[in-house]
Amino acid sequence: MLTDIKRSAYRGFTIIEMAIAMAIFGFLLAAALPSIGVWMDNARIRNVAESLQNGLQAARAEAVRRNQSITFWLIQLDEPHAVTNSCVLSNLSGSWIISVNDPTGHCGEAASTTTSPMVVTGHAMGDASTRVSVKAVQDDGTTAATQVTFNGFGRMTNADTAISQIDVTGIEGRTEYRHQRITITPTGMVRSCDPRVPTSSDDPRKC
């Protein structure tokens, strides 16, 4: 009897048992994959929105510190992982640069207070560029906008053409996405909110 118990303990799994276990694992994995994908996309959305908000706040702070007009620009890069000179202005990109003058074609220049475009700093969108959708518009909510300039008081100096809001979401339009909106007021205040939260709500995330 004891020998039979020992043999049973060391027998392990049969091929049929392993096949059943693998099938169950496969079903569970297939069910979980969509949720994992949405979770990863939401993480990318949040990271891009935080990067944009931090960049806008950094541009405003630098303008106040220097008592000089400083501009935050949205740029499109050939290589999404590096801020290089192969850049153009785009309202549909999460990459950005802070500088005094238009940085088109010079985004990769070293930071400088004398050599144009007088770059302060920049950030490339990275891997999120293929999974996150970005759209920046003026105050009318439809006209494309690529920059906002802050003066020495931290206020907008180009309010008529400046970025008023930046919407960040996933590329597939899933209802599970956690949309983010960055808003910039003429006084220079930068805020992140969720455009899907009703404005009548008491939820602090509302826009």
Side-chain angles (χ1 to χ4, degrees), residues 1 15 33 42 44 61 65 80 83 93 96 118 127 135 145-146 154 159 190 195 202:
M1 178 68 72
I15 293 177
L33 278 176
N42 279 333
R44 294 186 183 100
R65 187 183 73 83
V83 179
S93 173
W96 52 266
M118 291 183 263
D127 291 333
K135 184 177 181 180
T146 58
V190 180
D202 291 332

Side-chain angles (χ1 to χ4, degrees), residues 73 85 99-120:
W73 314 78
N85 287 338
S99 63
V100 175
N101 301 321
D102 186 341
T104 302
H106 298 280
C107 298
E109 300 292 336
S112 173
T113 58
T114 57
T115 303
S116 190
M118 291 183 263
V119 171
V120 177

Side-chain angles (χ1 to χ4, degrees), residues 3-76:
T3 301
D4 291 340
I5 293 174
K6 287 183 177 180
R7 285 176 180 173
S8 178
Y10 287 106
R11 182 171 59 86
F13 294 103
T14 67
I15 293 177
I16 294 176
E17 289 171 335
M18 290 183 66
I20 293 172
M22 291 297 293
I24 294 173
F25 177 76
F27 283 124
L28 292 174
L29 184 62
L33 278 176
S35 297
I36 294 173
V38 170
W39 180 85
M40 292 181 66
D41 281 347
N42 279 333
R44 294 186 183 100
I45 291 168
R46 183 174 62 252
N47 290 339
V48 170
E50 288 178 353
S51 168
L52 291 166
Q53 185 174 11
N54 291 340
L56 286 159
Q57 291 172 336
R60 186 183 187 222
E62 188 68 12
V64 173
R65 187 183 73 83
R66 294 189 187 185
N67 192 26
Q68 175 187 14
S69 290
I70 300 289
T71 302
F72 171 93
W73 314 78
L74 288 176
I75 56 172
Q76 183 71 47

Side-chain angles (χ1 to χ4, degrees), residues 101-171:
N101 301 321
D102 186 341
T104 302
H106 298 280
C107 298
E109 300 292 336
S112 173
T113 58
T114 57
T115 303
S116 190
M118 291 183 263
V119 171
V120 177
T121 188
H123 177 80
M125 195 172 177
D127 291 333
S129 61
T130 61
R131 299 295 304 171
V132 175
S133 171
V134 176
K135 184 177 181 180
V137 295
Q138 296 179 18
D139 189 51
D140 62 9
T142 56
T143 305
T146 58
Q147 73 262 10
V148 55
T149 301
F150 300 99
N151 62 19
F153 295 102
R155 298 177 62 90
M156 282 185 186
T157 62
N158 61 330
D160 291 340
T161 59
I163 297 171
S164 177
Q165 70 181 42
I166 307 174
D167 285 318
V168 186
T169 187
I171 61 171

